[in-house]
């Protein structure tokens, strides 16, 4: 059992952040030492070798949002794991999910990762080394607030598409390739503590989403520059901070918040947005499952997210839905689920006593169990 650890209350070289491996022996689990990593691990993958190599990716860095987490690769000689150094894994990105998928059609799967403020990335493992081959497959300007990824044949042509769950279009986060959402990351007030400022593009200028109270609470020096709310109101970020300050900032961008899929067309992978039904909230989970009892799997979608400030509201409008292999939408009433105002974390299918059950796992709520007909 491989246990991925994370938590905002832990930071730095906290032992609680190290991922752990437990081996079953004589009916008991025994801990096997793993290399130190101190990562807020969001997803772990392993290859299919007899002594598998494991890959860990992180979502965030405690007390330093905007800093890009590292990732890790641990090789395995069947006796112990050892860390493999790879520059690609340094400051890798805010990863939320990952899958194995054969992108180049050579019969060997690659790792595809998705995350926030980053594009999908494709990693190829050759001779125990990782190579980033994203440019060969991922369209340009495809940074998103990606939450989930899976593969599924949407048009019954025998070729699986890559389904990407994004933040949706029913939020205050608006982004296009021409007018991307931006995150400015820097120590704006020179107090040895970084800040992150999210900005929207309006008429070519970038305006902070945060209120003056929120910004000045973190950076009190703004109260000296703006003595009244009206002085701050309507100011773009380049009028709030000096050019010399902004030039030191790392800028992360989002080009789309649409949930959609990558499809190979004419030898190239292109991105297509899904129907508005799947844009109501963040899509956080997928499950291949036969919902129509015809022996053919559909793709079940789950979503919703409540981890934002009240200004943004509750992103809980998605009731659940599915797509068939002919691209037909099955809404919540057809498939018999109700996920409204529940933040879906994961789906699992359980076979028990010759019956099949769908288990829906939520954040901060009891699980739901549906009996399949």
């Amino acid at each position: 059992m491989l246990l991925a650890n994370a938590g905002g209350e832990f930071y730095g070289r906290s032992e609680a952040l190290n991922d752990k491996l437990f081996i079953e022996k004589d009916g008991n689990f025994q801990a096997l030492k793993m290399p130190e990593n101190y990562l807020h691990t969001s997803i772990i993958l392993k290859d299919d070798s007899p002594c598998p190599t494991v890959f860990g990716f992180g979502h965030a860095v405690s007390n330093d949002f905007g800093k890009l987490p590292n990732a890790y690769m641990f090789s395995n000689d069947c006796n112990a794991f050892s860390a493999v150094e790879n520059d690609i894994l340094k400051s890798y990105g805010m990863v939320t999910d990952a899958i194995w998928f054969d992108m180049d059609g050579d019969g060997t799967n690659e790792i595809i990762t998705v995350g926030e403020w980053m594009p999908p990335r494709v990693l190829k493992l050759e001779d125990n080394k990782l190579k980033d081959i994203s440019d060969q497959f991922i369209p340009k300007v495809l940074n998103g607030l990606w939450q989930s990824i899976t593969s599924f044949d949407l048009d019954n042509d025998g070729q699986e598409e890559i389904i990407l769950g994004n933040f949706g279009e029913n939020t205050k986060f608006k982004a296009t390739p021409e007018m991307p959402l931006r995150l400015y990351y820097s120590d704006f007030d020179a107090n040895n503590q970084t800040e992150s400022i999210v900005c929207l593009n309006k008429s070519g200028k970038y305006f902070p989403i945060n209120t003056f109270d929120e910004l000045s609470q973190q950076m009190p020096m703004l109260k000296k520059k703006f003595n009244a709310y009206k002085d701050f109101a309507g100011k773009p970020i380049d009028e709030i901070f000096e050019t010399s300050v902004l030039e030191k900032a790392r800028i992360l961008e989002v080009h789309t918040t649409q949930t959609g899929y990558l499809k190979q067309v004419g030898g190239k992978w292109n991105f297509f947005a899904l129907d508005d039904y799947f844009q109501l909230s963040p899509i956080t989970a997928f499950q291949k499952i036969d919902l129509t009892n015809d022996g053919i799997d559909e793709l079940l979608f789950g979503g919703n997210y409540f981890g934002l400030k009240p200004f943004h509201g509750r992103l809980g409008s998605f009731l659940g839905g599915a797509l068939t292999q002919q691209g037909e939408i099955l809404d919540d009433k057809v498939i018999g689920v109700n996920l409204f105002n529940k933040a879906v974390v994961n789906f699992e299918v359980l076979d028990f006593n010759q019956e099949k059950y769908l288990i829906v796992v939520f954040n901060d709520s009891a699980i739901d169990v549906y009996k399949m007909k």
Side-chain angles (χ1 to χ4, degrees):
M1 179 174 66
L2 189 55
L3 182 64
N5 288 329
E9 65 271 33
F10 304 111
Y11 57 91
R13 295 177 65 85
S14 171
E15 174 60 29
L17 291 176
N18 278 319
D19 297 338
K20 294 178 172 59
L21 177 66
F22 297 90
I23 303 296
E24 186 181 9
K25 187 175 182 180
D26 299 328
N28 296 309
F29 281 103
Q30 298 179 1
L32 183 67
K33 186 173 178 58
M34 296 281 284
E36 295 179 342
N37 57 82
Y38 306 111
L39 184 70
H40 290 265
T41 309
S42 55
I43 184 73
I44 294 178
L45 296 180
K46 67 179 182 68
D47 64 18
D48 57 2
S49 60
C51 301
T53 298
V54 296
F55 307 85
F57 300 90
H59 184 201
V61 178
S62 289
N63 299 327
D64 202 359
F65 185 79
K67 183 177 181 179
L68 301 182
N70 296 326
Y72 68 69
M73 173 179 172
F74 294 160
S75 64
N76 180 5
D77 64 3
C78 291
N79 292 308
F81 285 91
S82 58
V84 178
E85 294 296 324
N86 196 314
D87 288 342
I88 288 175
L89 299 178
K90 296 177 180 178
S91 300
Y92 184 85
M94 304 179 193
V95 175
T96 53
D97 203 2
I99 60 170
W100 291 99
F101 186 84
D102 185 6
M103 287 292 289
D104 55 10
D106 66 351
T108 302
N109 287 333
E110 286 75 47
I111 296 174
I112 310 178
T113 63
V114 294
E116 297 174 348
W117 303 96
M118 62 181 288
R121 295 183 66 178
V122 183
L123 304 179
K124 190 172 187 64
L125 182 63
E126 290 182 328
D127 300 325
N128 208 37
K129 293 182 179 179
L130 285 172
K131 180 181 179 181
D132 192 329
I133 58 172
S134 306
D135 290 345
Q136 300 178 31
F137 304 101
I138 305 302
K140 302 296 184 184
V141 291
L142 199 58
N143 289 23
L145 295 172
W146 306 112
Q147 302 296 303
S148 52
I149 181 173
T150 194
S151 60
F152 188 74
D153 187 356
L154 287 176
D155 50 12
N156 201 26
D157 65 353
Q159 169 66 49
E160 288 192 325
E161 285 71 51
I162 301 168
I163 319 302
L164 303 170
N166 210 343
F167 227 64
E169 296 189 292
N170 191 28
T171 78
K172 291 181 171 63
F173 297 123
K174 306 300 181 185
T176 66
E178 298 75 26
M179 302 175 66
L181 183 71
R182 277 187 175 178
L183 184 149
Y184 290 79
Y185 169 78
S186 186
D187 181 6
F188 291 96
D189 51 0
N191 67 344
N192 296 318
Q193 184 175 346
T194 56
E195 293 85 28
S196 294
I197 303 174
V198 177
C199 295
L200 290 169
N201 187 310
K202 294 183 179 180
S203 302
K205 290 281 190 177
Y206 278 92
F207 297 84
I209 286 180
N210 302 89
T211 66
F212 176 70
D213 286 340
E214 289 172 332
L215 291 175
S216 61
Q217 183 178 10
Q218 184 67 28
M219 296 171 283
M221 53 82 172
L222 290 177
K223 294 181 180 179
K224 297 180 180 179
K225 185 172 184 178
F226 302 100
N227 301 122
Y229 289 106
K230 63 182 179 64
D231 298 331
F232 178 85
K235 290 286 193 299
I237 194 168
D238 59 2
E239 293 182 26
I240 298 173
F241 299 100
E242 301 295 331
T243 301
S244 60
V245 174
L246 292 179
E247 286 177 345
K248 297 176 183 177
R250 172 189 288 163
I251 299 177
L252 305 179
E253 291 188 339
V254 167
H255 306 120
T256 180
T257 59
Q258 293 178 312
T259 288
Y261 59 97
L262 291 169
K263 179 177 177 60
Q264 196 171 25
V265 180
K268 293 182 62 177
W269 290 86
N270 297 302
F271 177 76
F272 300 91
L274 284 172
D275 187 87
D276 288 346
Y277 184 82
F278 298 102
Q279 310 297 343
L280 293 175
S281 75
I283 298 299
T284 55
F286 300 108
Q287 179 65 49
K288 298 175 186 177
I289 183 173
D290 182 6
L291 295 166
T292 55
N293 202 26
D294 60 357
I296 301 173
D297 281 347
E298 286 75 40
L299 183 64
L300 177 63
F301 288 63
N304 301 326
Y305 180 74
F306 308 132
L308 298 173
K309 292 185 176 181
F311 167 75
H312 293 274
R314 289 172 63 85
L315 307 182
S317 299
F318 187 60
L319 285 80
L323 282 173
T324 70
Q325 293 190 28
Q326 286 73 38
E328 178 188 356
I329 297 174
L330 306 179
D331 65 22
D332 58 299
K333 296 181 179 63
V334 172
I335 62 178
V337 301
N338 183 3
L339 308 179
F340 178 73
N341 252 344
K342 294 181 178 180
V344 177
V345 175
N346 199 13
F347 296 113
E348 289 291 343
V349 176
L350 175 66
D351 290 305
F352 181 71
N353 282 349
Q354 299 182 335
E355 299 283 0
K356 183 173 287 188
Y357 299 87
L358 172 67
I359 312 297
V360 189
V361 181
F362 304 104
N363 182 44
D364 198 26
S365 183
I367 66 172
D368 279 353
V369 179
Y370 293 89
K371 185 177 179 181
M372 307 298 296
K373 295 181 178 180

